[in-house]
Amino acid sequence: MLCWIGTDESGKGDYFGGLVVAGVMVNEYIIPKLSELGVKDSKKISDTRIKSLSEAIQKLCPYSIVMIGPEKYNELYSKMHNLNYILAWGHARVIENMLEKVDCKLAIADKFGDRKYIERALMKKGKQIKLEQRPKAEDDPAVAAASILARAKFVEELEKLSAQIPNYTGQELPKGASAEVERVAKDLVDRYGDNILQKVAKLHFKTTMKVTQPFRVDTIQSQRQENYKVSLERLWAPWRTKYIYLSSKDRCIFCEAIAKKDAEAYVLSREAKAFVVMNIFPYNNGHLMIAPYRHVGVIGELTSEEVISMFKLVQESVRVLEFTMNPDGFNIGINVGTVAGAGVRDHIHIHVVPRWVGDTNFMPVISETKVICQSLKEGYKLLKEAFGKC
């Protein structure tokens, strides 16, 4: 009998609580029964109805639920730096769990990113099945049933989490990421300090920065203007002295990188006519540069093949940075000539600089906010593994 597994998640858009991924197997016998129950996308069903539906589905279908609590979620995010990685890990674990119970050749999931995310996270059994990721996959009965199980578990765990907060009984943590969520988060921080958020919320949401900053943006801006009237503040970066001492008109960092081994020169990828290298004195974490192999400093002297090769690498660099570092945007550009800021004026190159909401100019510095930077070696390892896979 034809059967397949559907997977879906709940909680990724909710600040409070963790992330739940569920899987359900259906076949031609089960589908009519799910229809009789009224199974459909959980977003179209009230949370009060979700619980009873979830119980009925669990009696009817083979299933698996993976719960990632807030603390574990924050730990995973600190390592993976990307929600899609975590989702892929969760979906893959559910599929592997299901394959221990049933023999299916197909798994269907909602499309949240490149199919390769889940495929890379699957293990031996999971790699043997056909995986489909569909937009609006909740139209499939197996995925719809999984969405109900995931939502029911998320709501249940959020209620438990609310009850575990000392002296906060009766005030449930709200769902979503609304103004009410921000108000409750601020109240929790006022009562228990910043550390409470690690236990109950997803720290990478912008809400965290909003409720833990001592001043709002408008207050900070006016405070900065007042400071400038009194004195000029300086941001010391003594490690960049090496950059000054290394500067020389007789050397080209790109030509030197071409001749070195990839890891030694922080080269991430090589195309037919160009290559990608990390900037070892970056404006931001993940600052990459794309240059042709040929030592040429004028745009008009680039061949068509060099232009195509360079921009293919620009596209791949953006995909890799989105996949590994989840930036909010990018600065992509070419500085031509010393007056325009070109550090190496005779070897043309394209800068790709990831940007996040909250960073200032090219330096991720906010008033009285400490900058925590990733080491070059750690960044190189993360990015090198992703090139050629995105």
Side-chain angles (χ1 to χ4, degrees), residues 235-362:
L235 176 65
W236 290 99
W239 55 89
R240 290 184 66 86
T241 305
K242 185 178 178 183
Y243 174 76
I244 298 170
Y245 292 154
L246 285 175
S247 296
S248 170
K249 295 180 180 179
D250 300 325
R251 64 191 296 265
C252 174
I253 60 171
F254 298 108
C255 291
E256 289 177 1
I258 293 167
K260 293 179 180 178
K261 293 180 180 179
D262 284 2
E264 183 183 357
Y266 294 100
V267 172
L268 293 165
S269 182
R270 298 179 189 260
E271 253 282 338
K273 297 289 184 179
F275 66 102
V276 184
V277 63
M278 291 180 70
N279 189 331
I280 62 173
F281 299 102
Y283 294 123
N284 238 354
N285 291 352
H287 180 172
L288 307 183
M289 297 182 293
I290 295 94
Y293 294 120
R294 195 161 58 97
H295 188 79
V296 56
V298 181
I299 289 179
E301 293 181 7
L302 291 171
T303 66
S304 298
E305 290 82 4
E306 286 171 332
V307 171
I308 291 170
S309 192
M310 289 174 72
F311 275 89
K312 280 178 68 176
L313 288 174
V314 169
Q315 289 179 318
E316 185 176 12
S317 296
V318 168
R319 289 197 301 269
V320 166
L321 290 167
E322 287 176 335
F323 183 68
T324 56
M325 294 187 173
N326 200 29
D328 296 308
F330 294 91
N331 285 112
I332 300 174
I334 304 173
N335 299 325
V336 180
T338 304
V339 71
V344 183
R345 70 178 185 184
D346 295 326
H347 198 139
I348 202 160
H349 52 284
I350 304 173
H351 291 270
V352 178
V353 184
R355 300 290 302 274
W356 290 267
V357 173
D359 68 25
T360 306
N361 204 343
F362 283 110

Side-chain angles (χ1 to χ4, degrees), residues 7-13 19-23 41-43 66 83 87-88 90-91 109-112 118 133 138 143 146-151 154:
T7 64
D8 202 13
E9 75 283 331
S10 183
K12 69 179 180 182
L19 180 72
V20 183
V21 184
D41 182 2
S42 62
K43 293 188 285 294
V66 170
L83 173 58
L87 287 170
H91 280 260
D110 196 34
K111 186 171 179 61
F112 56 81
I118 299 180
Q133 277 192 274
E138 293 87 352
V143 178
S147 76
I148 290 171
L149 294 195
R151 190 61 183 176
F154 174 79

Side-chain angles (χ1 to χ4, degrees), residues 9-69:
E9 75 283 331
S10 183
K12 69 179 180 182
D14 296 89
Y15 180 61
F16 290 118
L19 180 72
V20 183
V21 184
V24 170
M25 187 220 79
V26 301
N27 56 33
E28 294 166 344
Y29 168 77
I30 292 174
I31 289 175
K33 295 182 179 295
L34 291 177
S35 181
E36 289 175 13
L37 288 171
V39 169
K40 55 185 175 182
D41 182 2
S42 62
K43 293 188 285 294
K44 300 176 181 178
I45 305 172
S46 68
D47 285 343
T48 52
R49 173 71 175 139
I50 285 280
K51 183 178 179 181
S52 59
L53 268 180
S54 175
E55 292 171 352
I57 292 167
Q58 290 178 43
K59 291 177 182 177
L60 182 63
C61 306
Y63 70 93
S64 174
I65 300 174
V66 170
M67 174 68 203
I68 306 171

Side-chain angles (χ1 to χ4, degrees), residues 7 91-99 107 118 122 126 129 131:
T7 64
H91 280 260
R93 294 291 73 73
V94 164
I95 291 171
E96 295 289 347
N97 292 345
M98 291 297 300
L99 292 175
I118 299 180
L122 288 169
I129 70 168
L131 173 65

